[in-house]
Amino acid sequence: TWSHLIENGRWEVSVRQGDKTRPRDNLVVLAEGILQKENINATANGFVETTFVVEVADGTLDLTFDDLGGENNRWVVNRISLTRSSDYQAWATSQQIPDILNSPDQDPDADGIPNIQEFFFGLPPLQKGPGINIKSSISEDGVNSIITFSKNPAAPIENLIFETSQDLISWEPFTPPPGSITLSTVGDLEKVTLRIPEVFDNVYVRLGLNVPD
């Protein structure tokens, strides 16, 4: 096990393994005690790069390497690269989006929903559908306008932008009042409920997202 003192947070880890003169097979990589990749094989003078995202919570990154036998029973590591990962980058890596298709504004599954929206709303970036589902209603007491939708728990709610309009032409920024947004866990997602303390006859609300660099 290789232990490295590091700041807490999400880290993208890349491990290069191989040997110039001998084949290596059946290699295994674990991070923080969790299996990341198994059955890693490299031919002589061939090298394999394994990349994954790991969450560090105790100030130490623990990587464990092993060789489960075969052509060679000795594990090998040539290089370990660590990159601090944003929530979006961690998601893109975990979803195995190809590097040439993983920018926030790209749409690898061609469903009309860019990666940044797939990330925020907890949708599959490499599979068409389902769409973004946003619902509006009036509270039972008729006092509040309610907007609900689901999001990825890893997506910061602070990245959300609200705007309102009365004619769908002119839009104005809208800041929800303190305490008007609540989050609750529903399966693998978070349900977002926005309660606006007013009922409108003719007002439209749209959502936007701050796009990471």
Side-chain angles (χ1 to χ4, degrees), residues 9-12 53 83-91 93:
R10 285 188 177 88
W11 291 85
E12 181 177 284
V53 174
T83 305
R84 189 64 179 264
S85 184
S86 69
D87 293 317
Y88 174 80
Q89 291 168 332
W91 171 83
T93 299

Side-chain angles (χ1 to χ4, degrees), residues 77-177:
V77 172
N78 312 110
R79 182 183 65 206
I80 299 173
S81 300
L82 304 176
T83 305
R84 189 64 179 264
S85 184
S86 69
D87 293 317
Y88 174 80
Q89 291 168 332
W91 171 83
T93 299
S94 69
Q95 295 294 316
Q96 300 181 336
I97 304 176
D99 289 345
I100 60 172
L101 296 172
N102 69 1
S103 64
D105 60 347
Q106 288 182 289
D107 182 15
D109 56 5
D111 64 355
I113 305 175
N115 285 332
I116 184 61
Q117 294 182 18
E118 304 260 23
F119 159 67
F120 189 88
F121 292 103
L123 304 176
L126 301 178
Q127 174 186 331
K128 290 187 177 182
I132 299 172
N133 187 12
I134 301 174
K135 298 180 179 179
S136 62
S137 61
I138 304 297
S139 62
E140 293 183 359
D141 58 11
V143 174
N144 297 310
S145 297
I146 301 175
I147 297 173
T148 61
F149 55 89
S150 296
K151 79 171 190 69
N152 177 355
I157 192 69
E158 294 78 15
N159 286 357
L160 201 57
I161 300 170
F162 293 94
E163 294 180 317
T164 60
S165 173
Q166 293 184 333
D167 56 12
L168 295 177
I169 298 175
S170 300
W171 292 88
E172 297 292 335
F174 170 73
T175 302

Side-chain angles (χ1 to χ4, degrees), residues 22-86:
R22 304 178 65 181
R24 300 283 181 162
D25 63 350
N26 219 4
L27 299 170
V28 173
V29 178
L30 296 90
E32 302 293 271
I34 299 173
L35 178 67
Q36 301 295 331
K37 189 69 178 293
E38 60 184 341
N39 196 29
I40 302 171
N41 303 304
T43 59
N45 201 33
F47 298 88
V48 177
E49 196 91 15
T50 301
T51 301
F52 51 89
V53 174
V54 61
E55 181 83 28
V56 176
D58 60 357
T60 302
L61 171 63
D62 294 320
L63 300 178
T64 302
F65 307 100
D66 201 359
D67 188 311
L68 302 183
E71 290 287 336
N72 192 313
N73 62 0
R74 294 182 179 181
W75 61 267
V76 61
V77 172
N78 312 110
R79 182 183 65 206
I80 299 173
S81 300
L82 304 176
T83 305
R84 189 64 179 264
S85 184
S86 69

